[in-house]
Amino acid sequence: MQNRFPYLSALLMLSCLGTGAAKADEVVLYSSNNIDVVNTVIEQFRQVHPEISVSVVRAGSGALMQRIKAEAEQPLGDLFWSGGFSTLSQYAEYLAPYSSPEASAVGAQYQGAGQRWLGTNTHVTVLMLNERQLGKLKAPASWADLADPAWKGKIVIPDPERSSSSYVALYGLQDLMGQEVFEKLVRNAVVVGTTSGAYEGVANGEFAVAVTMEYAAYQYVAGGLDTIDLVYPKEGTFLSPEGMALIKGGRNPESARKLYDFLASRPAQEEVFKSAFRRPLRSDIAVNTLTSLPAMDQIRVHALDDDRMGADREAFLARWRALVSQR
């Protein structure tokens, strides 16, 4: 799709940013978000702050954080939006504390230590179901249902080594249900290399069920694909909250704070939800009044410790590889 906003760049190479002083009315935004979402929100920001120009560098969260680390002595970016809390915590020393006036609408559990980041949205793990592919099987209501051998080959899961959301889902599944159910479900599943490969596989009728993210599944429901349902397993599901942060030593802190406040604001968060169904963390946005998605207090959530999950990553993935190789 052609960029509708020529003042935005989908990807700016660092050499293009230069090493000289940036303009006082410019913000360099590092973002892992979808370009259409970024374009929409930045267009709204420009209407409020026409005096501030925004340049965008887009890449994955991990790559951008590595870039921020590499630039620590001479930062080229001003603001990062957005990444998982475990990723943000690993790079906290490169992030600048900031107390935004918008932070009061976000629960304390979704704010970084020392106010180094602020939660913006959360992914919710769901089962994405294609009713036409069920055959004689009854629609699953729980994780335990999918451990039944009858589901073998009908479940698709992204590789957790390549998908952070899948890592959260599988780590949470083992933590919640125990090793036996975890292993049975994994043995029933087909593993694909990308997050999109899972939900697209169900939408295209290749599989009956995907372990995926709420927003990814719901886009098909909102688009009118009436064979798709979302299931929130009755034992509980898992959250993958994401946040944004000011880059320590950024050259345009005042303008960056204005963009930060705007991205955290209710209008911007509602726009992101309406366009991409990314569930906001602001307590004053009721997603069930904007869509058919349930309110958060209607979802049973199994809490995970982000620090522990990060520390356990290598050991978990080693066990995962061994399990998959034995199937």
Side-chain angles (χ1 to χ4, degrees), residues 263-283:
L263 292 174
S265 70
R266 181 172 178 174
Q269 289 293 300
E270 285 187 344
E271 184 58 42
V272 170
F273 179 70
K274 290 176 182 177
S275 61
F277 308 115
R278 292 176 181 258
R279 184 182 287 265
L281 286 171
R282 288 185 63 102
S283 59

Side-chain angles (χ1 to χ4, degrees), residues 43-214:
E43 169 64 10
Q44 289 185 330
F45 176 74
R46 283 177 58 87
Q47 293 175 11
V48 179
H49 291 286
E51 77 283 4
I52 301 175
S53 65
V54 181
S55 297
V56 180
V57 177
R58 287 194 65 252
S61 296
L64 289 172
M65 281 300 180
Q66 285 290 334
R67 183 171 290 185
I68 291 169
K69 179 180 178 180
E71 296 170 357
E73 295 299 318
Q74 193 174 26
L76 299 176
D78 296 299
L79 176 62
F80 170 76
W81 178 53
S82 59
F85 284 9
S86 59
T87 299
L88 290 167
S89 66
Q90 290 175 18
Y91 294 88
E93 65 184 289
Y94 306 107
L95 308 177
Y98 175 51
S99 179
S100 171
E102 301 292 340
S104 61
V106 179
Q109 70 272 33
Y110 300 124
Q111 300 186 39
Q115 298 180 313
R116 291 186 183 274
W117 66 82
L118 179 66
T120 52
N121 64 279
T122 187
H123 299 306
V124 182
T125 299
V126 299
L127 303 179
M128 178 180 174
L129 175 68
N130 188 324
E131 294 179 345
R132 288 184 179 174
Q133 302 308 312
L134 287 176
K136 296 181 179 180
L137 289 169
K138 183 180 178 181
S142 67
W143 294 112
D145 288 344
L146 296 180
D148 189 312
W151 285 96
K152 189 171 182 62
K154 293 182 177 293
I155 308 165
V156 59
I157 299 174
D159 187 340
E161 294 197 80
R162 302 183 184 184
S163 167
S164 59
S165 62
S166 186
Y167 173 67
V168 171
L170 291 169
Y171 183 94
L173 173 61
Q174 181 180 262
D175 189 65
L176 173 63
M177 299 299 298
Q179 193 68 22
E180 182 178 358
V181 171
F182 171 76
E183 291 187 4
K184 286 181 178 179
L185 193 154
V186 171
R187 290 193 178 101
N188 284 341
V190 174
V191 180
V192 294
T194 64
T195 302
S196 60
Y199 61 77
E200 288 174 358
V202 171
N204 294 333
E206 300 172 44
F207 303 98
V209 177
V211 178
T212 190
M213 294 173 288
E214 180 184 57

Side-chain angles (χ1 to χ4, degrees), residues 242-256:
E242 295 185 331
M244 64 179 173
L246 294 175
I247 298 171
K248 188 176 181 179
R251 296 172 177 174
N252 303 294
E254 183 177 351
S255 295

